[in-house]
Amino acid sequence: MNKREILTQYPPAQENVLQILHHLQNNNPRHYLSGEDLELAAEYLNLTRGVIYGIATYYSMFSLKPRGRHIIRICDSPVCHVFEAGSLIDELTHILEIDAGQTTADGLFTLELTECIGCCDEAPAMMINGDTFGHLTGKKISALIDRIRKREN
Ligand code: FES
């Protein structure tokens, strides 16, 4: 679907800005909003570039730089921390050989820290793309990453 087709799926009302930005980002194989995306959304919604840029940078789910094919978002909020999320973040940075906020050299994974993802009863928790995973352990994380790597090779 091209960008114009995405835009015209929504009435050109400012209350649709988040949905439109999400759709544009999800449509991009590198999971980010390009300058062109922001420009088109601003024009379509009759907003200034500054307003659109402000929105895209305010919400952590939007990225203005290319990301990996799989976005890993591990919860960095208090409940997950009580259940050892800190050591799991260390485990992920070790397995992926990147720090939070970075993308692996092969372009496969981006690791991000996130606020509560609403799975506190399964803490520690994370998301990979749109799927949530809870009751995480180092072993479980390793198996998830291995499974994706095998599928992609
Ligand atoms: S605090 Fe981690 S999912 Fe809620």
Side-chain angles (χ1 to χ4, degrees):
M1 182 178 292
N2 73 39
K3 295 175 183 192
R4 286 274 170 210
E5 287 169 340
I6 290 173
L7 292 173
T8 54
Q9 286 199 335
Y10 303 89
Q14 296 178 5
E15 71 236 28
N16 294 322
V17 64
L18 294 179
Q19 284 175 285
I20 288 172
L21 292 179
H22 265 298
H23 202 151
L24 288 168
Q25 180 170 270
N26 290 341
N27 190 57
N28 186 322
R30 297 298 307 272
H31 303 288
Y32 80 108
L33 290 165
S34 67
E36 183 194 21
D37 293 333
L38 298 181
E39 187 90 30
L40 287 170
E43 180 190 301
Y44 185 69
L45 296 171
N46 198 24
L47 294 169
T48 65
R49 278 190 232 167
V51 167
I52 283 284
Y53 180 82
I55 292 168
T57 52
Y58 178 78
Y59 291 99
S60 66
M61 67 269 203
F62 296 127
S63 176
L64 299 185
K65 58 182 187 182
R67 295 186 288 180
R69 281 211 289 283
H70 302 278
I71 313 294
I72 300 172
R73 307 182 84 217
I74 185 158
C75 178
D76 193 29
S77 288
V79 177
C80 284
H81 262 281
V82 168
F83 290 94
E84 306 297 333
S87 64
L88 296 177
I89 293 168
D90 290 344
E91 178 84 14
L92 270 168
T93 59
H94 175 71
I95 293 171
L96 299 173
E97 298 177 342
I98 54 173
D99 288 325
Q102 295 182 332
T103 297
T104 54
D106 59 6
L108 211 48
F109 298 101
T110 294
L111 176 62
E112 295 179 349
L113 305 183
T114 184
E115 300 294 312
C116 178
I117 56 173
C119 300
C120 308
D121 55 334
E122 295 178 32
M126 70 179 188
M127 295 181 81
I128 302 181
N129 304 325
D131 300 321
T132 56
F133 300 90
H135 302 301
L136 293 174
T137 61
K139 210 170 166 180
K140 195 167 175 179
I141 283 179
S142 226
L144 285 166
I145 303 295
D146 276 355
R147 197 181 318 150
I148 294 172
R149 280 185 170 146
K150 282 188 185 126
R151 202 173 58 215
E152 293 280 350
N153 286 331

PDB file of all heavy atoms in Angstrom, residues 6 10-11 23 54 62 64 72-73 84 89 95 103 108 113 123 150:
ATOM      1  N   ILE A   6      -2.537   5.015   2.324  1.00  0.00           N
ATOM      2  CA  ILE A   6      -2.636   4.930   3.790  1.00  0.00           C
ATOM      3  C   ILE A   6      -3.346   6.161   4.332  1.00  0.00           C
ATOM      4  O   ILE A   6      -4.301   6.064   5.102  1.00  0.00           O
ATOM      5  CB  ILE A   6      -1.233   4.793   4.423  1.00  0.00           C
ATOM      6  CG1 ILE A   6      -0.661   3.414   4.105  1.00  0.00           C
ATOM      7  CG2 ILE A   6      -1.276   5.045   5.928  1.00  0.00           C
ATOM      8  CD1 ILE A   6       0.769   3.224   4.539  1.00  0.00           C
ATOM      9  N   TYR A  10      -8.024   7.378   6.322  1.00  0.00           N
ATOM     10  CA  TYR A  10      -8.480   8.088   7.516  1.00  0.00           C
ATOM     11  C   TYR A  10      -9.029   9.454   7.103  1.00  0.00           C
ATOM     12  O   TYR A  10      -8.444  10.114   6.235  1.00  0.00           O
ATOM     13  CB  TYR A  10      -7.303   8.304   8.486  1.00  0.00           C
ATOM     14  CG  TYR A  10      -6.633   7.010   8.882  1.00  0.00           C
ATOM     15  CD1 TYR A  10      -5.588   6.491   8.131  1.00  0.00           C
ATOM     16  CD2 TYR A  10      -7.074   6.293   9.993  1.00  0.00           C
ATOM     17  CE1 TYR A  10      -4.976   5.283   8.481  1.00  0.00           C
ATOM     18  CE2 TYR A  10      -6.476   5.098  10.346  1.00  0.00           C
ATOM     19  CZ  TYR A  10      -5.429   4.596   9.585  1.00  0.00           C
ATOM     20  OH  TYR A  10      -4.836   3.409   9.925  1.00  0.00           O
ATOM     21  N   PRO A  11     -10.106   9.892   7.748  1.00  0.00           N
ATOM     22  CA  PRO A  11     -10.533  11.273   7.496  1.00  0.00           C
ATOM     23  C   PRO A  11      -9.398  12.229   7.886  1.00  0.00           C
ATOM     24  O   PRO A  11      -8.670  11.938   8.841  1.00  0.00           O
ATOM     25  CB  PRO A  11     -11.744  11.448   8.432  1.00  0.00           C
ATOM     26  CG  PRO A  11     -12.190  10.068   8.770  1.00  0.00           C
ATOM     27  CD  PRO A  11     -10.956   9.199   8.722  1.00  0.00           C
ATOM     28  N   HIS A  23       0.307   3.729  11.190  1.00  0.00           N
ATOM     29  CA  HIS A  23       0.120   3.002   9.935  1.00  0.00           C
ATOM     30  C   HIS A  23       1.311   3.242   8.993  1.00  0.00           C
ATOM     31  O   HIS A  23       1.837   2.306   8.381  1.00  0.00           O
ATOM     32  CB  HIS A  23      -1.195   3.434   9.288  1.00  0.00           C
ATOM     33  CG  HIS A  23      -1.751   2.435   8.328  1.00  0.00           C
ATOM     34  ND1 HIS A  23      -3.082   2.301   8.075  1.00  0.00           N
ATOM     35  CD2 HIS A  23      -1.141   1.510   7.536  1.00  0.00           C
ATOM     36  CE1 HIS A  23      -3.274   1.337   7.175  1.00  0.00           C
ATOM     37  NE2 HIS A  23      -2.103   0.852   6.835  1.00  0.00           N
ATOM     38  N   GLY A  54       6.974  17.000  16.739  1.00  0.00           N
ATOM     39  CA  GLY A  54       6.816  16.953  18.196  1.00  0.00           C
ATOM     40  C   GLY A  54       6.069  15.703  18.637  1.00  0.00           C
ATOM     41  O   GLY A  54       6.447  15.047  19.610  1.00  0.00           O
ATOM     42  N   PHE A  62       7.293   5.582  18.376  1.00  0.00           N
ATOM     43  CA  PHE A  62       7.687   6.048  17.045  1.00  0.00           C
ATOM     44  C   PHE A  62       9.202   6.198  16.982  1.00  0.00           C
ATOM     45  O   PHE A  62       9.851   6.569  17.953  1.00  0.00           O
ATOM     46  CB  PHE A  62       7.045   7.400  16.726  1.00  0.00           C
ATOM     47  CG  PHE A  62       5.541   7.343  16.640  1.00  0.00           C
ATOM     48  CD1 PHE A  62       4.757   8.210  17.376  1.00  0.00           C
ATOM     49  CD2 PHE A  62       4.905   6.416  15.821  1.00  0.00           C
ATOM     50  CE1 PHE A  62       3.373   8.164  17.311  1.00  0.00           C
ATOM     51  CE2 PHE A  62       3.516   6.360  15.740  1.00  0.00           C
ATOM     52  CZ  PHE A  62       2.759   7.228  16.486  1.00  0.00           C
ATOM     53  N   LEU A  64      12.382   7.773  14.412  1.00  0.00           N
ATOM     54  CA  LEU A  64      12.713   8.580  13.234  1.00  0.00           C
ATOM     55  C   LEU A  64      13.968   8.047  12.554  1.00  0.00           C
ATOM     56  O   LEU A  64      14.489   8.671  11.640  1.00  0.00           O
ATOM     57  CB  LEU A  64      12.908  10.045  13.635  1.00  0.00           C
ATOM     58  CG  LEU A  64      11.681  10.726  14.251  1.00  0.00           C
ATOM     59  CD1 LEU A  64      11.955  12.200  14.495  1.00  0.00           C
ATOM     60  CD2 LEU A  64      10.447  10.569  13.377  1.00  0.00           C
ATOM     61  N   ILE A  72      12.398  -5.501  19.575  1.00  0.00           N
ATOM     62  CA  ILE A  72      12.263  -6.083  20.913  1.00  0.00           C
ATOM     63  C   ILE A  72      12.125  -4.925  21.887  1.00  0.00           C
ATOM     64  O   ILE A  72      12.995  -4.059  21.962  1.00  0.00           O
ATOM     65  CB  ILE A  72      13.500  -6.921  21.283  1.00  0.00           C
ATOM     66  CG1 ILE A  72      13.665  -8.060  20.285  1.00  0.00           C
ATOM     67  CG2 ILE A  72      13.380  -7.442  22.713  1.00  0.00           C
ATOM     68  CD1 ILE A  72      14.963  -8.829  20.465  1.00  0.00           C
ATOM     69  N   ARG A  73      11.016  -4.914  22.619  1.00  0.00           N
ATOM     70  CA  ARG A  73      10.783  -3.829  23.589  1.00  0.00           C
ATOM     71  C   ARG A  73      10.629  -4.472  24.955  1.00  0.00           C
ATOM     72  O   ARG A  73       9.607  -5.091  25.247  1.00  0.00           O
ATOM     73  CB  ARG A  73       9.545  -3.026  23.202  1.00  0.00           C
ATOM     74  CG  ARG A  73       9.610  -2.529  21.752  1.00  0.00           C
ATOM     75  CD  ARG A  73       8.420  -1.696  21.370  1.00  0.00           C
ATOM     76  NE  ARG A  73       8.643  -0.338  21.799  1.00  0.00           N
ATOM     77  CZ  ARG A  73       7.700   0.457  22.276  1.00  0.00           C
ATOM     78  NH1 ARG A  73       6.483   0.025  22.390  1.00  0.00           N
ATOM     79  NH2 ARG A  73       7.995   1.690  22.635  1.00  0.00           N
ATOM     80  N   GLU A  84      13.519  -8.805  38.375  1.00  0.00           N
ATOM     81  CA  GLU A  84      14.822  -9.006  37.733  1.00  0.00           C
ATOM     82  C   GLU A  84      14.899  -8.607  36.250  1.00  0.00           C
ATOM     83  O   GLU A  84      15.708  -9.169  35.504  1.00  0.00           O
ATOM     84  CB  GLU A  84      15.296 -10.473  37.873  1.00  0.00           C
ATOM     85  CG  GLU A  84      15.314 -10.997  39.303  1.00  0.00           C
ATOM     86  CD  GLU A  84      16.298 -10.245  40.202  1.00  0.00           C
ATOM     87  OE1 GLU A  84      17.293  -9.711  39.686  1.00  0.00           O
ATOM     88  OE2 GLU A  84      16.036 -10.177  41.407  1.00  0.00           O
ATOM     89  N   ILE A  89      17.683  -7.471  30.770  1.00  0.00           N
ATOM     90  CA  ILE A  89      18.147  -6.457  29.814  1.00  0.00           C
ATOM     91  C   ILE A  89      19.628  -6.698  29.523  1.00  0.00           C
ATOM     92  O   ILE A  89      20.065  -6.682  28.370  1.00  0.00           O
ATOM     93  CB  ILE A  89      17.893  -5.028  30.361  1.00  0.00           C
ATOM     94  CG1 ILE A  89      16.383  -4.768  30.422  1.00  0.00           C
ATOM     95  CG2 ILE A  89      18.591  -3.981  29.491  1.00  0.00           C
ATOM     96  CD1 ILE A  89      15.985  -3.516  31.195  1.00  0.00           C
ATOM     97  N   ILE A  95      23.329 -11.142  24.307  1.00  0.00           N
ATOM     98  CA  ILE A  95      22.960 -12.051  23.196  1.00  0.00           C
ATOM     99  C   ILE A  95      22.997 -11.309  21.856  1.00  0.00           C
ATOM    100  O   ILE A  95      23.474 -11.827  20.858  1.00  0.00           O
ATOM    101  CB  ILE A  95      21.534 -12.629  23.408  1.00  0.00           C
ATOM    102  CG1 ILE A  95      21.503 -13.561  24.618  1.00  0.00           C
ATOM    103  CG2 ILE A  95      21.057 -13.377  22.173  1.00  0.00           C
ATOM    104  CD1 ILE A  95      20.094 -13.992  25.013  1.00  0.00           C
ATOM    105  N   THR A 103      20.513  -1.201  16.829  1.00  0.00           N
ATOM    106  CA  THR A 103      20.077  -2.255  15.906  1.00  0.00           C
ATOM    107  C   THR A 103      21.268  -3.155  15.601  1.00  0.00           C
ATOM    108  O   THR A 103      22.394  -2.659  15.448  1.00  0.00           O
ATOM    109  CB  THR A 103      19.537  -1.616  14.606  1.00  0.00           C
ATOM    110  OG1 THR A 103      18.391  -0.824  14.949  1.00  0.00           O
ATOM    111  CG2 THR A 103      19.120  -2.661  13.580  1.00  0.00           C
ATOM    112  N   LEU A 108      18.608  -7.332  11.883  1.00  0.00           N
ATOM    113  CA  LEU A 108      17.521  -8.228  12.292  1.00  0.00           C
ATOM    114  C   LEU A 108      16.755  -7.714  13.522  1.00  0.00           C
ATOM    115  O   LEU A 108      15.534  -7.815  13.578  1.00  0.00           O
ATOM    116  CB  LEU A 108      18.127  -9.607  12.576  1.00  0.00           C
ATOM    117  CG  LEU A 108      17.278 -10.839  12.318  1.00  0.00           C
ATOM    118  CD1 LEU A 108      16.612 -10.786  10.970  1.00  0.00           C
ATOM    119  CD2 LEU A 108      18.151 -12.089  12.445  1.00  0.00           C
ATOM    120  N   LEU A 113      14.036  -0.136  25.344  1.00  0.00           N
ATOM    121  CA  LEU A 113      13.440  -0.211  26.676  1.00  0.00           C
ATOM    122  C   LEU A 113      12.104   0.511  26.601  1.00  0.00           C
ATOM    123  O   LEU A 113      11.967   1.491  25.870  1.00  0.00           O
ATOM    124  CB  LEU A 113      14.337   0.465  27.707  1.00  0.00           C
ATOM    125  CG  LEU A 113      15.783  -0.041  27.788  1.00  0.00           C
ATOM    126  CD1 LEU A 113      16.514   0.689  28.903  1.00  0.00           C
ATOM    127  CD2 LEU A 113      15.825  -1.548  27.993  1.00  0.00           C
ATOM    128  N   ALA A 123       5.151 -10.313  34.869  1.00  0.00           N
ATOM    129  CA  ALA A 123       6.484  -9.702  34.914  1.00  0.00           C
ATOM    130  C   ALA A 123       7.562 -10.741  35.237  1.00  0.00           C
ATOM    131  O   ALA A 123       7.283 -11.675  36.003  1.00  0.00           O
ATOM    132  CB  ALA A 123       6.503  -8.605  35.973  1.00  0.00           C
ATOM    133  N   LYS A 150      16.817 -18.491  13.407  1.00  0.00           N
ATOM    134  CA  LYS A 150      16.703 -19.675  12.532  1.00  0.00           C
ATOM    135  C   LYS A 150      15.684 -19.446  11.432  1.00  0.00           C
ATOM    136  O   LYS A 150      15.902 -19.789  10.274  1.00  0.00           O
ATOM    137  CB  LYS A 150      16.332 -20.906  13.356  1.00  0.00           C
ATOM    138  CG  LYS A 150      17.503 -21.482  14.094  1.00  0.00           C
ATOM    139  CD  LYS A 150      17.185 -22.814  14.753  1.00  0.00           C
ATOM    140  CE  LYS A 150      18.377 -23.252  15.574  1.00  0.00           C
ATOM    141  NZ  LYS A 150      18.034 -23.554  16.953  1.00  0.00           N
TER     142      LYS A 150
END
